[in-house]
Amino acid sequence: MSGQVLGFGGRILKTDPKAAKYLNSPESDIYHKSKIVYGIFQARKAIIKEDKCFLVEGYTDVLSVHEAGIENVVASSGTALTQEQVRLIKRFTQNITILYDGDAAGIKASLRGIDLVLEEGMNVRIVLLPDGEDPDSLSKKLSVEEFTKYLTEKETDFIRFKTEMLLRETGRDPVKRAEAIRDIVRSIAVIPEIITRTVFIKECSTLLEVSEAVLYNEVNKLLKQKGFQDRNRYPGAYDLPDTKALVPQKQVEPDKGSYYSEREIIRLLLKYGSGEFEKQKEEPEGAEVVVTVADFIVHEIMRDELSFTNKVFGEIFAEYMFHVQQGLFAGDQHFVRHPDPEISGVSVDMLADSYELSRIWSEKLSYVESEERMLKEVIPETIIKFKSDKIKEMRAELHAGIVAAAASGDMDEVSRLQKQVSMLNRALKEISVKLGGRIVL
């Protein structure tokens, strides 16, 4: 995202069945292939301008399409599309068009990954290239105008594309047809917007020759299934062992002082970190760039150089800070499957229990679903509460220092520390105003 080199990738230039087609740098602390979108630094301005991102498979596809005059193009670098990659693209546009070559087996294998894009509320369209062609070869055969026209005319929305492809494969087999319908319904069910789901149900009803009522019923059954949405949002979280037993009890028992506000900061990061908090204009072009929840929280806490008292919360925040500084996303799965059992245990607890209101907000929100709509209020106030707790911790340390200095007769030190306490008291008074006039004792 920042234009810095994270690793290297090469592609063989001649046909050799014994040689690997691609050769990449090994995974490292800064290079995670599944979290990188190749070409995003060069493409991001064009993506914002066109409000669309073309997604291809490999490096040479990006180079050739870019060379053909289409600059809003990136690659997943041959990997199955991941949640981190989807959210990285979402920072710049809601619209993604995926270019597939004519390999039916490869297309079918990648369809499941598209559900991740739908789940993020993005608009997904597909362009199927002619047999034997890929973006690299086709962009070289056609002029810029012809290539652009081809992409425009051949675009189709993902649900229609998937429906037509699966129906062609099922033929007259009723069992396969029923399974295809269930597969399509699963994709529709992950779409978060009710209106969008309704439109696709109506369209699929015609294509599948199945009544809308039946499709609505199937979608609603999936949505009502306990944990369906969480299983899609946090895949694998329910397959883990009982991680609570692996977490030392002292890490889940409330500590004194800032435990609850620290916990709330981490919960918001884990649950909404990659979501949009606001849009800011990028100078000098004035293009709008999405500021994520993680961007905002990390910036606010690091600006005052604050730290976490709870060890596990501090480690999770440190990893989020690293990813934000690199322009990457530390997705939910990163923490749910973290090699440190303490971190994975805390993460599973916070993510899996989607019906538990936080201690801070239980009196403010009538329904759990309200929280996401109120993030612009919830997040700043949670950060202010976190800062007030940290100030009170600092003040307690200063009071202890005053007592020790007075006992030793060092009145200059007592005076110096008292001035610092006075400054902290003024800060707490300002915070109490921001918290709606509530007195911070």
Side-chain angles (χ1 to χ4, degrees):
M1 270 284 287
S2 62
Q4 295 178 313
V5 175
L6 299 178
F8 295 90
R11 185 190 189 282
I12 195 167
L13 296 178
K14 61 182 180 180
T15 302
D16 185 352
K18 295 182 181 179
K21 187 177 180 180
Y22 289 97
L23 186 64
N24 300 305
S25 292
E27 295 271 315
S28 69
D29 288 342
I30 62 169
Y31 176 65
H32 301 278
K33 190 177 179 183
S34 63
K35 298 177 183 178
I36 302 298
V37 176
Y38 178 75
I40 191 70
F41 175 72
Q42 290 80 6
R44 59 181 184 169
K45 290 181 181 178
I47 293 172
I48 294 169
K49 182 181 178 182
E50 301 294 333
D51 194 20
K52 177 192 287 189
C53 178
F54 287 105
L55 180 68
V56 295
E57 183 182 2
Y59 315 123
T60 51
D61 293 326
V62 172
L63 295 171
S64 297
V65 174
H66 205 279
E67 204 171 38
I70 299 174
E71 298 182 0
N72 53 325
V73 57
V74 297
S76 59
S77 301
T79 61
L81 203 55
T82 65
Q83 194 173 52
E84 290 92 345
Q85 291 172 325
V86 172
R87 289 176 173 177
L88 194 55
I89 295 170
K90 188 182 177 183
R91 297 182 74 162
F92 305 105
T93 183
Q94 289 285 114
N95 304 303
I96 183 169
T97 298
I98 303 173
L99 274 56
Y100 283 123
D101 57 31
D103 179 12
I107 295 171
K108 191 171 181 182
S110 64
L111 287 183
R112 185 68 66 186
I114 309 300
D115 285 356
L116 289 173
V117 189
L118 294 174
E119 188 182 350
E120 289 296 323
M122 297 180 71
N123 305 313
V124 190
R125 301 182 74 80
I126 304 294
V127 173
L128 186 61
L129 303 181
D131 287 343
E133 300 286 0
D134 57 29
D136 175 33
S137 62
L138 187 63
S139 64
K140 287 180 168 63
K141 289 182 179 179
L142 303 178
S143 66
V144 174
E145 293 76 14
E146 290 172 334
F147 187 56
T148 304
K149 184 180 178 182
Y150 182 90
L151 296 181
T152 303
E153 291 180 347
K154 298 297 182 180
E155 272 189 334
T156 183
D157 70 73
F158 171 69
I159 297 295
R160 173 180 281 272
F161 174 83
K162 181 175 182 176
T163 302
E164 292 176 344
M165 190 188 84
L166 292 181
L167 287 181
R168 281 197 302 270
E169 291 183 353
T170 60
R172 297 179 178 275
D173 188 325
V175 176
K176 289 183 178 179
R177 185 179 179 86
E179 183 53 43
I181 292 172
R182 291 190 196 96
D183 196 354
I184 294 161
V185 167
R186 279 193 289 269
S187 291
I188 295 175
V190 301
I191 298 172
E193 289 291 331
I194 296 174
I195 294 175
T196 307
R197 283 205 306 266
T198 302
V199 170
F200 279 128
I201 286 173
K202 286 182 177 294
E203 185 173 356
C204 287
S205 172
T206 303
L207 293 172
L208 297 169
E209 298 178 347
V210 176
S211 73
E212 287 182 31
V214 171
L215 295 180
Y216 273 117
N217 185 53
E218 289 300 311
V219 168
N220 287 333
K221 277 202 301 188
L222 284 174
L223 293 175
K224 288 177 182 177
Q225 280 179 9
K226 179 173 169 47
F228 171 80
Q229 289 172 315
D230 285 332
R231 285 189 181 96
N232 279 277
R233 189 173 294 278
Y234 315 117
Y238 294 82
D239 303 327
L240 292 172
D242 183 8
T243 51
K244 290 181 181 178
L246 302 174
V247 182
Q249 198 63 23
K250 65 179 182 180
Q251 291 298 341
V252 293
E253 285 291 328
D255 301 325
K256 292 181 179 179
S258 59
Y259 174 85
Y260 286 110
S261 58
E262 288 187 8
R263 185 184 190 281
E264 184 66 357
I265 290 288
I266 299 304
R267 187 186 72 84
L268 290 170
L269 281 172
L270 288 171
K271 197 164 186 181
Y272 306 111
S274 62
E276 177 183 330
F277 181 74
E278 63 184 4
K279 289 184 178 178
Q280 293 182 353
K281 290 195 179 293
E282 191 178 59
E283 300 296 340
E285 294 86 354
E288 284 191 335
V289 176
V290 172
V291 175
T292 66
V293 169
D295 291 334
F296 182 81
I297 291 177
V298 169
H299 172 75
E300 283 294 315
I301 291 177
M302 294 311 300
R303 185 174 65 176
D304 293 326
E305 299 181 356
L306 299 175
S307 60
F308 286 71
T309 304
N310 183 279
K311 180 176 77 73
V312 177
F313 296 163
E315 289 173 354
I316 293 174
F317 181 81
E319 291 202 28
Y320 255 105
M321 181 177 67
F322 170 79
H323 282 80
V324 166
Q325 289 171 343
Q326 296 295 322
L328 304 173
F329 283 128
D332 323 303
Q333 277 289 284
H334 175 79
F335 295 102
V336 167
R337 294 196 173 279
H338 201 281
D340 186 329
E342 292 182 334
I343 291 177
S344 66
V346 167
S347 302
V348 170
D349 286 345
M350 290 186 180
L351 291 172
D353 193 359
S354 60
Y355 299 101
E356 179 185 356
L357 278 171
S358 72
R359 180 187 177 99
I360 294 174
W361 291 96
S362 58
E363 296 179 0
K364 281 201 163 197
L365 303 177
S366 301
Y367 303 98
V368 176
E369 291 79 8
S370 301
E371 183 179 60
E372 193 163 4
R373 296 199 298 271
M374 294 179 64
L375 285 181
K376 287 198 174 182
E377 177 186 346
V378 171
I379 291 171
E381 188 159 341
T382 301
I383 291 172
I384 291 171
K385 179 66 172 65
F386 172 84
K387 290 181 178 181
S388 76
D389 287 345
K390 290 299 168 184
I391 290 174
K392 284 185 281 186
E393 286 181 354
M394 294 176 197
R395 189 175 60 177
E397 291 176 6
L398 289 173
H399 280 308
I402 290 172
V403 171
S408 65
D410 189 349
M411 301 314 294
D412 288 339
E413 180 66 5
V414 169
S415 178
R416 186 184 71 83
L417 294 177
Q418 284 177 336
K419 288 178 181 178
Q420 292 185 23
V421 169
S422 179
M423 289 173 60
L424 292 180
N425 284 334
R426 286 198 297 272
L428 284 175
K429 187 175 180 180
E430 291 178 13
I431 284 176
S432 73
V433 173
K434 290 182 179 179
L435 286 171
R438 299 197 298 276
I439 301 300
V440 179
L441 299 177

